[in-house]
Amino acid sequence: MKILKHTLTLQLFFGIGLFLMVGCESNFKEVQKINYSEFVPSGEADDFNLKYTDSGRIKSILVSPKMLDYSNVEFPFTEFPKGVHVTMYDSKGKRTFISSDYAVMFKGTDLIDLQKNVLITNETNQMLETSQLYYDQKNEWFFTEKKFKFTDPKGISYGEGIDFSKDFKIVNSQRINGEIDEAE
């Protein structure tokens, strides 16, 4: 009888212990969730089309299939995970066209990071191709340290590292490492 009583006491003790452990585990997971912040956008838009104007003139048009706004994080940014197509206008109405498969605009820095199949063309048949390119909106200046291919009516040049004005009037390449083909 004493052994049966001792066995029942042990079973009861283990049963209560198991119940408390399961109950504590559930509460512990809830406590962990309190300190967990989910990284989700505060805003989202499909078929995004933004026209930027200044003094009644269109300065640029940005079109993207998807825009995600992360203005709720410590370092806010806007992401374009499906790429962008941008048309920029100079003061005379001449256009520069920019496209990439992915882009991120960092708020507070005036920088846009264009990535994957970046292509810039203009109306004077100049074209730059690269895998990543930054655009400084404040200074209207592009730059990269990546490999590039630059084509203009004079020929084609290949290199690594380039910076230039949005209208291609000023172009500085750091390392030309390919042939320059003269156009006929």
Side-chain angles (χ1 to χ4, degrees):
M1 183 81 152
K2 207 173 192 182
I3 292 177
L4 183 59
K5 190 176 180 183
H6 183 61
T7 304
L8 286 174
T9 305
L10 281 175
Q11 287 177 343
L12 183 61
F13 176 72
F14 283 120
I16 291 172
L18 183 61
F19 177 74
L20 288 175
M21 285 175 50
V22 170
C24 288
E25 180 65 27
S26 176
N27 289 339
F28 182 68
K29 286 185 179 184
E30 291 299 318
V31 170
Q32 282 181 317
K33 286 181 185 178
I34 291 171
N35 291 326
Y36 177 75
S37 64
E38 197 169 345
F39 195 69
V40 295
S42 60
E44 186 174 329
D46 291 323
D47 299 322
F48 185 75
N49 187 332
L50 174 70
K51 291 181 177 140
Y52 174 72
T53 61
D54 185 14
S55 303
R57 293 185 132 172
I58 294 178
K59 300 286 275 176
S60 62
I61 300 171
L62 184 146
V63 177
S64 178
K66 184 143 204 93
M67 187 266 314
L68 301 171
D69 179 33
Y70 290 93
S71 58
N72 58 337
V73 297
E74 186 174 355
F75 300 105
F77 63 96
T78 302
E79 180 181 37
F80 301 93
K82 295 184 179 180
V84 293
H85 295 280
V86 179
T87 304
M88 299 171 71
Y89 297 86
D90 69 8
S91 59
K92 296 177 184 171
K94 292 189 178 179
R95 299 175 297 179
T96 300
F97 307 97
I98 306 159
S99 65
S100 70
D101 293 346
Y102 177 83
V104 178
M105 182 173 62
F106 299 98
K107 296 182 181 179
T109 65
D110 291 326
L111 283 181
I112 298 174
D113 181 3
L114 303 156
Q115 299 177 26
K116 300 178 188 166
N117 299 312
V118 181
L119 177 66
I120 299 180
T121 59
N122 64 15
E123 294 177 338
T124 59
N125 295 321
Q126 292 175 307
M127 178 172 59
L128 181 104
E129 301 169 75
T130 187
S131 62
Q132 183 176 27
L133 188 68
Y134 294 97
Y135 179 62
D136 179 345
Q137 297 177 85
K138 183 178 179 183
N139 297 309
E140 298 183 329
W141 199 260
F142 289 96
F143 60 95
T144 186
E145 292 297 320
K146 302 287 185 180
K147 292 181 180 181
F148 67 87
K149 176 183 175 185
F150 180 71
T151 307
D152 71 359
K154 297 176 187 172
I156 299 171
S157 60
Y158 299 89
E160 195 171 330
I162 190 169
D163 63 285
F164 55 94
S165 60
K166 76 173 187 175
D167 56 7
F168 288 108
K169 287 185 179 172
I170 303 170
V171 178
N172 302 310
S173 13
Q174 282 99 36
R175 292 174 292 282
I176 299 292
N177 56 11
E179 297 281 326
I180 297 177
D181 301 325
E182 291 298 323
E184 300 203 29

